[in-house]
Amino acid sequence: MAFSPSIASVGLQKSLLLSFFMAAFAGPFLDSFDYNWGQSNSQILNNGDLLTLSLNKECGSGFVSKNQYVYAKIDMNIKLVAGNSAGTVTAYYLSSQGQYHDEIDFEFLGNLSGDPYILHTNVFCHGQGNREQQFYLWFDPTADFHTYTILWNTQAIFFYVDGIPIREFKNLESSSIPFPSYQPMKLYSSIWDADNWATRGGLVKIDWTQAPFTASYTNFNDNNACVSYYDTMTSCNTPNSNLNNNGWLWQTLDYSDQGKLKWVQDNYVIYNYCTDSKRFPQGFPPECYVNNKY
């Protein structure tokens, strides 16, 4: 898949979402999240165990975690918009703030009925993104809930789908390659109108007669996370923390997971910035020579 410059607009549009008014959730989500956009387009169902975000012609919706993290393993079960979701994007990502922000993205690009979703991933380091990989999934993400995991630790950033690693971005700071390592990030999710680029480069627009478009969430888990309290203090380096319980902080891929990663990379990747020679005629970014191993 050829790179589309319009992908670069994602960061700007999402940054606009961060400035919206925040209001608290009800139910079990109360301790973990706030609304940051379109509260009227969200619902809490099943006694507080299920959250939905919807998009209509007037507005989308989104939420943000109360906690901020410096390294974390975050799990969320998500069921995506069914039917004709062309032009919509459901975003699920960690992000810090400011001009030189860090960000770790899952974005689900809607499509026409019967055509597969595209899973778009990206990593921003110190304000610089443009590290996209895109995938087809090996299942229908609208038929049921599936678990999407961001594991950000001292060794790498790992993207998982149902426990299967699909992407690894290694920590190469020792080689002067930027890596998110000190800016606290919050977890965000939103559904929004991106029909200027999301489906076939913007050729397919949202069919508003199909609205509302709804994504559903459950089983959020941040039990393995370093919650940031101050600029230099997290729940992992307080006097009472037990680093023996934080093996995920140094986790790497074992032989079995390396095989699973290779399977995904060989069979389901549809775009990889590290192989786009037209985009980088003068040579690939330096991390590609390590991160593109699988």
Side-chain angles (χ1 to χ4, degrees):
M1 174 179 290
F3 171 74
S4 170
S6 58
I7 290 175
S9 68
V10 176
L12 174 60
Q13 293 193 46
K14 284 191 305 191
S15 67
L16 296 176
L17 305 184
L18 307 186
S19 62
F20 283 86
F21 176 77
M22 297 166 65
F25 283 109
F29 284 97
L30 177 63
D31 292 335
S32 298
F33 294 105
D34 294 308
Y35 291 114
N36 66 332
W37 185 43
Q39 182 177 351
S40 62
N41 278 356
S42 180
Q43 295 186 74
I44 301 294
L45 305 168
N46 294 357
N47 296 317
D49 291 332
L50 177 68
L51 165 71
T52 65
L53 295 179
S54 295
L55 166 69
N56 58 29
K57 199 167 186 178
E58 286 70 41
C59 190
S61 51
F63 61 78
V64 58
S65 64
K66 293 179 181 292
N67 285 335
Q68 56 183 2
Y69 312 95
V70 178
Y71 302 129
K73 181 180 181 182
I74 305 290
D75 300 314
M76 185 78 81
N77 287 9
I78 304 174
K79 183 164 68 172
L80 298 177
V81 177
N84 182 359
S85 58
T88 70
V89 169
T90 303
Y92 163 65
Y93 59 103
L94 287 168
S95 183
S96 61
Q97 298 193 38
Q99 180 180 359
Y100 301 105
H101 77 292
D102 297 328
E103 187 170 321
I104 304 167
D105 290 339
F106 273 106
E107 291 179 319
F108 303 93
L109 313 187
N111 217 328
L112 295 169
S113 299
D115 290 338
Y117 260 85
I118 292 175
L119 170 53
H120 175 96
T121 66
N122 202 356
V123 176
F124 284 72
C125 302
H126 309 166
Q128 179 64 49
N130 302 322
R131 298 178 176 91
E132 303 91 351
Q133 284 190 18
Q134 294 183 335
F135 306 79
Y136 286 142
L137 295 167
W138 51 95
F139 53 84
D140 179 358
T142 73
D144 204 348
F145 286 93
H146 292 269
T147 304
Y148 301 93
T149 302
I150 297 170
L151 172 54
W152 166 39
N153 68 16
T154 59
Q155 306 300 304
I157 294 164
F158 304 96
F159 297 79
Y160 291 85
V161 177
D162 289 338
I164 296 174
I166 65 167
R167 180 176 181 183
E168 177 183 24
F169 185 85
K170 293 180 182 292
N171 183 347
L172 301 174
E173 284 189 301
S174 61
S175 299
S176 300
I177 295 172
F179 183 82
S181 59
Y182 64 90
Q183 296 190 74
M185 292 198 267
K186 291 190 173 187
L187 180 70
Y188 297 85
S189 192
S190 59
I191 183 168
W192 47 290
D193 173 359
D195 74 0
N196 63 322
W197 69 271
T199 305
R200 300 181 187 176
L203 294 177
V204 182
K205 303 300 184 181
I206 292 179
D207 179 358
W208 291 110
T209 67
Q210 303 298 309
F213 304 96
T214 300
S216 302
Y217 301 78
T218 190
N219 292 342
F220 167 71
N221 185 345
D222 68 345
N223 291 337
N224 293 312
C226 297
V227 177
S228 176
Y229 301 118
Y230 308 103
D231 288 344
T232 59
M233 181 68 71
T234 74
S235 58
C236 295
N237 61 14
T238 61
N240 295 326
S241 64
N242 184 355
L243 293 181
N244 291 327
N245 295 329
N246 291 326
W248 62 270
L249 262 173
W250 297 276
Q251 181 177 326
T252 57
L253 297 181
D254 61 19
Y255 182 79
S256 175
D257 278 344
Q258 289 178 27
K260 294 173 184 176
L261 175 61
K262 186 177 187 304
W263 172 72
V264 173
Q265 292 279 318
D266 287 348
N267 293 284
Y268 294 99
V269 171
I270 58 173
Y271 177 80
N272 184 351
Y273 78 107
C274 282
T275 61
D276 190 344
S277 56
K278 291 183 179 179
R279 183 181 175 189
F280 299 105
Q282 305 304 316
F284 298 115
E287 70 269 14
C288 290
Y289 298 97
V290 176
N291 282 312
N292 204 36
K293 177 180 177 181
Y294 301 107

